[in-house]
Amino acid sequence: MTGAAILRTEGLHKRFGDLHVLRGIDLRVAEGERIAILGSSGSGKSTLLRCLNFMELPSAGRVFFHDRPVGTEETRGGATAVRYRERDLAALRRRVGMVFQSFNLFPHMTALENVMEGPLTVLRRGRGEAAAAARRQLARVGLEDRADEYPARLSGGQQQRVAIARALAMEPEVMLFDEPTSSLDPELVGEVLGVIKALAEEGRTMLLVTHELGFAYHVASRVLFLHEGRILEEGPPERLMKAPREERLRTFLARFSEFSF
Amino acid sequence: MIYQPDFTDIVANVDLLARGAWLTLSLWAIAYAFGLAAGLVLGMVRTAGQPLMAWPAAAYVEVFRNTPVLVQLVWFYYAFPVLTGLQMSAFTAAALGLCLNTSAYCAEIFRGGIRSIDAGQWEAGRALGMTYGALMRRVVLPQAVRRMVPAFTNRGIELGKMTAIASVIAVHELMYEARLLSANTYRPLEVFTVIAVIYFVVIYPGTLLSYRLEARLGRRG
């Protein structure tokens, strides 16, 4: 395995009431890795991603950031539980960027203001500095000419590119993409994937939950296949996607090629 | 015989009415300012997801929303001193009652407004590393307040009219002066007509102001 581990999980579980979504995930994300997470809906792939930046708190197991465990273990009345302080989680999230399926841009701010918001209020940069940096990020996603538009006046693809710029403006060490193209019209998917591919080519560390198998195949350095809350199979894309060992993965891949032409 | 209106007594006592209108305006301004500020705090407490704090806030809101404001004013003026030995002035008792009552209603407006903001907005802010306070101030409240303006306008108008209740505990505001004047001059038609006009003149500019605010906020985003 190459590079130091930025993120690592040990025996990660997540329950929502009676629903046991993650059932013991051990994952190591090394610097420069581009990990695609595949799986049918309900397999836990989005939940796994959301546990990495604590949008969801793990029910059991630990997450390590640069080999330091996140959260503090506390023993009360014989039982040990991990306590997550909001302050510690905020510090982690500053260094882990996330892009959502539904963009979640701030509708009362222009594209530029959206991208400036993190540096301005979280990193406490000056206005001029934050604006200049935000313009650079918008240029990177090809939207410098839409800087002063409100999100409502942008297409879905443009909104998602602004959302990517907003995450990048924090200069994160890892990017988490949670089905970034799933709510886009098919003809807008390409522009967003293009931006993500460019980031991959810069050597950026990223995890990507996606249904775009072709994209995963060409961009990922490693692919995970999740099934019922466990990593059922993992490996380099050529091996995993061309010669899958698990029957479940074979059926999963077959469903996608059923209507290819 | 056709009734002959006579406004001479009203004109002669215009200073009384002006003083009354001033007290009405004062009660209104104090209760509205306090109500908005305290309502914001209460509304945030009720949405922050801390049951130990949310429960007392909810109890406070329900007590003040589900009892008549008339009873509240009278209680602060006549019952509170019995309980504590502290007699406050009629104006203080009226202001206090209106403040607390208005804060309870405003708390509900804030709570509804805050809860109307999509969960994705919270997630986007938290994913950037924003704290609860920063998220509230920069993301949630700016969007929520926009949706709340009509409700706050409504509350403001209600409150402006509600101040008339203070006349019951002898606060010399507009309604009290009107009743006094009407009793002394036997001119209820003239007096209460003029009073109604004064209320309108005092309250309506506030309504106009809020329409303009609504339009201005609506232009952005």
Side-chain angles (χ1 to χ4, degrees), chain B residues 31 34-35 38 42 60 64 72 76 94-105:
Chain B
F34 178 91
L42 285 165
Y60 171 94
F64 281 98
Q72 292 162 20
F76 278 113
L96 189 63
L98 291 173
C99 278
L100 299 184
N101 184 273
T102 303
S103 68
Y105 278 97

Side-chain angles (χ1 to χ4, degrees), chain B residues 8-27:
Chain B
T8 48
D9 285 329
I10 292 175
V11 172
N13 289 293
V14 74
D15 57 325
L16 273 184
L17 294 183
R19 218 176 54 195
W22 171 247
L23 273 186
T24 291
L25 206 57
S26 308
L27 275 176

Side-chain angles (χ1 to χ4, degrees), chain A residues 50 53-56 86 90 93-94 96-98 100 103-109 113-114 117-118 120-122 127 150 166-167 170, chain B residues 117-132 134-144 146-147 219-221:
Chain A
R50 290 165 59 81
N53 71 339
F54 296 88
M55 290 287 108
E56 308 288 354
E86 202 50 39
R93 291 175 187 138
R94 279 203 290 272
V96 179
M98 186 170 224
F100 301 88
F103 328 139
N104 297 343
L105 289 182
F106 305 131
H108 59 303
M109 299 181 190
E113 288 166 341
N114 264 279
E117 189 56 26
L120 210 57
T121 55
V122 178
R127 229 171 208 298
Y150 285 96
R166 176 174 68 177
M170 296 294 288
Chain B
I117 300 303
D118 183 63
Q121 293 291 302
W122 286 93
E123 291 198 342
R126 279 163 59 212
L128 286 174
M130 291 173 89
T131 58
Y132 175 82
L135 245 161
M136 262 300 172
R137 191 168 47 82
R138 302 281 303 175
V139 175
V140 175
L141 284 178
Q143 294 180 63
R146 231 178 261 204
R147 301 179 188 181
R219 269 204 302 277
R220 296 182 50 207

Side-chain angles (χ1 to χ4, degrees), chain A residues 4-178:
Chain A
I6 297 183
L7 277 169
R8 188 160 58 84
T9 72
E10 266 179 21
L12 204 64
H13 284 257
K14 179 64 186 178
R15 287 186 188 82
F16 295 102
D18 289 336
L19 202 62
H20 200 165
V21 179
L22 296 182
R23 299 164 181 248
I25 300 277
D26 298 301
L27 173 65
R28 186 179 182 276
V29 183
E31 212 176 305
E33 271 199 294
R34 305 173 300 282
I35 300 176
I37 305 173
L38 309 181
S40 34
S41 73
S43 62
K45 52 194 194 306
S46 276
T47 306
L48 169 58
L49 204 67
R50 290 165 59 81
C51 279
L52 294 179
N53 71 339
F54 296 88
M55 290 287 108
E56 308 288 354
L57 298 184
S59 308
R62 297 299 290 269
V63 176
F64 297 80
F65 187 60
H66 288 290
D67 283 323
R68 300 241 310 261
V70 182
T72 43
E73 247 176 40
E74 281 176 13
T75 309
R76 208 178 285 168
T80 312
V82 182
R83 186 168 160 217
Y84 296 102
R85 284 190 188 77
E86 202 50 39
R87 186 159 35 92
D88 298 338
L89 300 185
L92 172 101
R93 291 175 187 138
R94 279 203 290 272
R95 301 165 68 181
V96 179
M98 186 170 224
V99 173
F100 301 88
Q101 179 180 345
S102 51
F103 328 139
N104 297 343
L105 289 182
F106 305 131
H108 59 303
M109 299 181 190
T110 63
L112 187 75
E113 288 166 341
N114 264 279
V115 181
M116 285 170 67
E117 189 56 26
L120 210 57
T121 55
V122 178
L123 304 178
R124 306 211 170 272
R125 299 266 154 80
R127 229 171 208 298
E129 189 192 341
R135 278 187 201 285
R136 279 199 301 279
Q137 296 300 347
L138 282 175
R140 196 167 176 181
V141 300
L143 288 172
E144 64 270 56
D145 55 331
R146 309 308 300 273
D148 298 321
E149 297 285 3
Y150 285 96
R153 307 236 323 167
L154 299 173
S155 73
Q158 290 172 333
Q159 288 190 47
Q160 192 61 300
R161 282 147 70 198
V162 173
I164 293 172
R166 176 174 68 177
L168 289 175
M170 296 294 288
E171 292 162 14
E173 295 170 51
V174 195
M175 286 284 282
L176 310 175
F177 293 95
D178 187 7

